[in-house]
Amino acid sequence: MSEAITADKFWQFSLQLYPQVKALCLQWQDELGVNVNLLLLLCYLEQQQLSLSAPELQQLAAQLDNFSAQFTKPLRALRKNTVIAAVTPAQQQSLKQALLQAELTLEQLEQQLLLQHCPALSKKATPLLELYLARLNADSNADSDTLAAQILDLRQAYQRLSQHSG
């Protein structure tokens, strides 16, 4: 591997890419159960022309799912459902902001965990996005043509990033 993947490089990549693909990421999160941090890592790996095997990807996803189910998802649900009659709208907004900040901290920790548990990467072209989404799409009724077009849109977004940064 020519350049080591650091948590900071991955986080910066995510901060640049996510605003461009937020709607798609949230749609896939809600409809397919995608973990957005894992999706962003796969985009980053593809951009760097690095790869994992299907079993390695599945193992990485399972490890992240455990953490996310215990911490990130409950906090996200709490933030989304914060309607408390006993507090003022300003207090409610303050609470939502605090929960959002905590959620972002957990998202960053998820990314660090992904890198910590990531197996050795190979320099071969593997369609990581298709591997991951096929695993999730097995239980879904998503249209495969639509999914393929969305994957193309996502790839174009991170390719534009690499053109602007280098």
Side-chain angles (χ1 to χ4, degrees):
M1 185 166 44
S2 60
E3 195 175 329
I5 298 174
T6 66
D8 186 56
K9 285 179 190 174
F10 177 33
W11 184 250
Q12 293 307 314
F13 169 85
S14 299
L15 291 177
Q16 289 177 352
L17 179 62
Y18 184 74
Q20 299 176 44
V21 297
K22 179 180 179 178
L24 179 60
C25 289
L26 295 177
Q27 176 188 343
W28 284 354
Q29 181 178 275
D30 294 342
E31 294 176 6
L32 301 175
V34 161
N35 181 293
V36 173
N37 282 310
L38 181 53
L39 183 68
L40 292 169
L41 176 63
L42 299 180
C43 290
Y44 187 73
L45 293 178
E46 283 192 6
Q47 183 197 49
Q48 301 297 312
Q49 299 178 333
L50 298 169
S51 189
L52 304 163
S53 69
E56 290 169 335
L57 175 57
Q58 188 167 354
Q59 183 178 12
L60 194 57
Q63 288 176 326
L64 186 60
D65 286 346
N66 290 334
F67 179 86
S68 186
Q70 189 173 2
F71 297 104
T72 312
K73 288 178 182 177
L75 185 65
R76 181 178 300 129
L78 182 63
R79 178 184 53 83
K80 286 182 176 183
N81 299 314
T82 305
V83 179
I84 307 165
V87 299
T88 67
Q91 290 169 324
Q92 195 161 307
Q93 186 60 31
S94 178
L95 177 59
K96 277 193 170 216
Q97 282 303 115
L99 291 172
L100 179 60
Q101 190 55 51
E103 188 179 341
L104 284 173
T105 300
L106 286 174
E107 298 280 359
Q108 209 166 5
L109 183 55
E110 277 191 7
Q111 288 197 351
Q112 292 168 10
L113 291 171
L114 278 168
L115 295 180
Q116 185 179 325
H117 294 287
C118 192
L121 300 166
S122 62
K123 270 281 202 191
K124 62 181 180 180
T126 302
L128 293 172
L129 297 175
E130 285 86 351
L131 275 176
Y132 181 47
L133 293 170
R135 177 179 161 261
L136 298 172
N137 196 30
D139 300 328
S140 157
N141 294 328
D143 175 25
S144 61
D145 290 338
T146 302
L147 205 54
Q150 291 170 327
I151 290 171
L152 181 60
D153 290 345
L154 184 59
R155 282 198 173 109
Q156 288 173 342
Y158 72 71
Q159 287 168 352
R160 282 191 301 269
L161 281 182
S162 65
Q163 291 167 354
H164 294 304
S165 66

